[in-house]
Amino acid sequence: MPHSPLVISGRIVLTGAVLGSAGALAVPAHADTLDVALTLPRMSVAEYHKPYVAIWLEKAGSPARTLSVWYDQGKRNNGGTKWLRDIRTWWRESGRGMQFPADGVSGATRAPGPQRIALPVGTLAPGAYTLVIEAAREAGGREAVRVPFNWTGGRVSGRATGQFELGAVNLTVQR
């Protein structure tokens, strides 16, 4: 079913694909931002492929909200989407209902090493959240790291560390 675009504050246009994946997402001009720093470990393996990564936000009683998905966008006929289901936890939570590429969500795979991403998420309601990052690699492993945080409107940070496909994950949330 086609969706009409939603225009917020005359500058930001969200399409049906984004709205469908994010639930009732609203992005005001002064959005709360999740600054995420994560490390994709370098691996000494015979066949290395950059990992597919999904980043999403969970809050009890609300659907998972996909914030970013990194995958191989260079394959012919959007063939990189075929491997998105290997990010299994995210796929079951919300990925299978999305269409890719998705505005504001899709991104290219990234090389091993430190990565930074700023994710404007609109105005978060106070409460307990969990940022989840899951990485899956062709001919490799899969791992999800969860970073819980309690949002009260002030600056909050959290951290976690993966063991295989993800290294350190640091999160800062601020208005």
Side-chain angles (χ1 to χ4, degrees):
M1 180 168 102
H3 298 275
S4 299
L6 174 63
V7 178
I8 300 172
S9 71
R11 293 185 151 199
I12 300 169
V13 177
L14 302 175
T15 63
V18 172
L19 290 171
S21 66
L25 174 66
V27 182
H30 301 289
D32 298 332
T33 302
L34 275 65
D35 292 310
V36 179
L38 64 100
T39 301
L40 299 174
R42 295 186 188 283
M43 297 183 184
S44 295
V45 294
E47 183 179 351
Y48 180 81
H49 300 274
K50 294 178 186 174
Y52 281 27
V53 175
I55 301 171
W56 72 96
L57 194 59
E58 294 178 345
K59 182 177 184 196
S62 300
R65 189 167 151 189
T66 301
L67 302 174
S68 189
V69 178
W70 305 344
Y71 69 99
D72 188 348
Q73 296 179 302
K75 293 195 178 219
R76 190 173 12 150
N77 298 325
N78 208 16
T81 59
K82 165 180 161 181
W83 305 104
L84 290 176
R85 65 187 63 153
D86 287 351
I87 313 173
R88 291 185 212 144
T89 306
W90 165 77
W91 184 257
R92 286 190 300 265
E93 290 289 329
S94 62
R96 70 176 123 205
M98 296 179 66
Q99 293 182 345
F100 284 92
D103 293 344
V105 172
S106 298
T109 56
R110 297 186 180 200
Q115 305 293 330
R116 291 190 168 275
I117 185 169
L119 302 164
V121 292
T123 301
L124 293 176
Y129 291 86
T130 302
L131 178 77
V132 186
I133 300 174
E134 184 176 17
R137 199 167 39 83
E138 184 180 341
R142 181 184 66 81
E143 181 173 33
V145 171
R146 306 176 75 80
V147 183
F149 65 95
N150 190 23
W151 178 244
T152 58
R155 184 182 168 101
V156 174
S157 60
R159 68 179 53 199
T161 303
Q163 296 181 343
F164 309 105
E165 301 296 330
L166 291 166
V169 174
N170 292 299
L171 166 70
T172 302
V173 186
Q174 56 193 344
R175 178 156 291 157

